[in-house]
Each structure stands twice: as structure tokens, then as C-alpha cells.
Amino acid sequence: MSKNILLIGGSHGIGFEMAKALHSNYTVYIASRTNEELYNLDVNYISFDATTETLDESQLPEELHGFAYCPGSINLKPLKMLSIEVFKEEMELNFFSLVKVVKTIMPRMAQDSSMVFFSTVAVSTGMPFHTSVAAAKGAIEGFAKSLAAEFAPKVRVNCIAPSLVDTPLAARLLNNDKKREMMSQRHPLKRVGNAEDIANIAVFLLSEKSTWMTGQIVGVDGGMSTLNVS
């Protein structure tokens, strides 16, 4: 029996790379705002805006064996330039919308199923100008660990904490050679991440190869969170 995987936000960046890696071996459902990149993949598309809509359960299978929530934000500004409304928007997109989807689909999660969320290296490693996104992603990390404890051993829940990844979301930070070189040099491995780096770990966490992992925050960050080579 083919296993069912649901991706929220699988039409760009990391989610799209996950879809490319998964669709040959799983039945993949992608719920996102757009689908222009999905035409050549064997996936089931569900039109869905995580911040404003409730997921249509009638388009989902009875059982889900894997789930990943991919929407996120990179809003790097000094605290004095961040209004309370910005903090609320960050929480809505990154955290509250995730919680809403999890509450919707949890009754469908099969025995030995897996959930994967996304955080940021900025939660464990304090970085200037990251207050709003780090706060929202920090909420995800706490949620993931508590959820993993509550639903063990039926559902595994893990969280990936990347550093800067070359995706459309990060385009503003990598839009010329000087910026890219500067960002690369900040990492011990001397490059920024690419979508495949993160997707590979997410696919592993969704698979049966990671069945003894739950409640973990997995750093995929070029060594940023643990090494100081400057």
C-alpha cells in the first residue's frame, strides 16, 4: 500500500524539492496557494492559504503517514522597526497556522506516522535583527517537543532548524555576488544551504529510516549553530 504524505506549501523552495523526492514512492498531497511548478509531478494538489483558510478534509485520504509544514518567513529588521502587528503576522504564518492544520489532520495520522516542522538556527544561536522570526520559530520548537511527547509512540514529531538557504524566500539576502560571498563566509562550511540540503533531511525524517527519532531539533546549518572557526 502506498503511503500518503501531506505537504503544506510544496510548490516552491524546500517544499518543492521534497515533493520531487517523494512523489515517485509515496502518494503526495500538496496544499498551497499556487501550483505552477507542480504540473510535471505526480501529486494531488489542494488550493489552500494556510493563513486565511481551513484545510478541506474532503480532499484528504483517510490516513496520513507523513506531514510537513513548509510556509515560513525571513523578516530581518531591528526591533525598533518591528511593530507588534509584524510579530503577530509572523506568529500567524509560522505557528498558529501550523497548529490549526495539525489539529485538523491529527485524527488522520496513522500508527508510526511522522510530522516534520521547520525552525531556524536563530532560535538556538542569538542573532541580531531576528527577534520576530526567532520568536515564532521558537514557538514551533516547543510545540514540536510537547506534541512528540503527547503522541508517542503513535506519531513521531521532529523539527529541522536550517541556516540561510538559497530559496525564493531568501532572494533579497542573496541577490548579488557580494552578499552571497559574505553569507557563505559566515558558515564553517563556507557556503549557504540549498533547498536539496534541507529537503533530504526532511524526506529522511518522514521515512522509515528515522523510526527511532522523535522530539528532535535537527540542525542543518553548515555548522553555524555549533562551530566557531573565525
Side-chain angles (χ1 to χ4, degrees):
M1 181 189 74
S2 178
K3 293 189 174 181
N4 302 315
I5 307 288
L6 171 63
L7 307 180
I8 305 296
S11 57
H12 297 287
I14 294 166
F16 181 61
E17 291 301 324
M18 291 175 63
K20 285 164 56 177
L22 290 165
H23 79 104
S24 296
N25 299 314
Y26 300 89
T27 301
V28 177
Y29 295 79
I30 294 180
S32 63
R33 290 180 296 178
T34 61
N35 69 340
E36 63 266 18
E37 300 292 331
L38 302 175
Y39 62 91
N40 60 345
L41 299 183
D42 183 17
V43 300
N44 302 280
Y45 174 69
I46 302 169
S47 178
F48 176 60
D49 185 331
T51 59
T52 60
E53 298 174 347
T54 299
L55 189 61
D56 183 358
E57 293 186 73
S58 69
Q59 299 189 63
L60 297 176
E62 289 188 10
E63 273 197 326
L64 289 169
H65 304 88
F67 165 72
Y69 183 88
C70 304
S73 57
I74 302 178
N75 191 10
L76 308 186
K77 293 179 180 178
L79 177 63
K80 65 183 179 181
M81 295 178 62
L82 294 168
S83 66
I84 291 298
E85 285 66 34
V86 170
F87 278 86
K88 289 178 179 178
E89 289 168 3
E90 296 269 30
M91 290 295 291
E92 188 64 46
L93 172 63
N94 290 281
F95 181 59
F96 291 125
S97 295
L98 163 64
V99 173
K100 186 169 64 173
V101 174
V102 168
K103 286 178 67 65
T104 297
I105 67 170
M106 189 58 85
R108 296 176 185 268
M109 297 305 292
Q111 183 68 40
D112 301 320
S113 57
S114 173
M115 290 184 157
V116 176
F117 308 152
F118 291 93
S119 180
T120 170
V121 65
V123 174
S124 63
T125 303
M127 298 179 179
F129 314 127
H130 284 69
T131 52
S132 60
V133 66
K137 295 296 192 179
I140 291 175
E141 290 194 10
F143 179 65
K145 289 182 180 181
S146 294
L147 199 68
E150 184 171 339
F151 286 90
K154 181 181 179 182
V155 183
R156 296 182 296 109
V157 185
N158 293 288
C159 191
I160 297 172
S163 185
L164 184 63
V165 179
D166 188 1
T167 65
L169 196 63
R172 183 175 57 84
L173 301 174
L174 299 169
N175 59 10
N176 62 52
D177 291 342
K178 184 177 180 180
K179 286 184 180 180
R180 182 177 293 274
E181 178 63 19
M182 182 179 68
M183 292 299 183
S184 295
Q185 289 304 313
R186 292 183 64 202
H187 296 81
L189 291 182
K190 302 307 178 187
R191 70 172 176 89
V192 298
N194 57 54
E196 293 92 336
D197 291 325
I198 312 305
N200 288 340
I201 302 301
V203 170
F204 167 74
L205 291 173
L206 289 171
S207 77
E208 294 179 354
K209 295 179 180 180
S210 61
T211 54
W212 211 42
M213 288 182 67
T214 194
Q216 301 301 307
I217 311 301
V218 183
V220 188
D221 58 19
M224 175 74 82
S225 62
T226 53
L227 306 179
N228 183 355
V229 297
S230 60

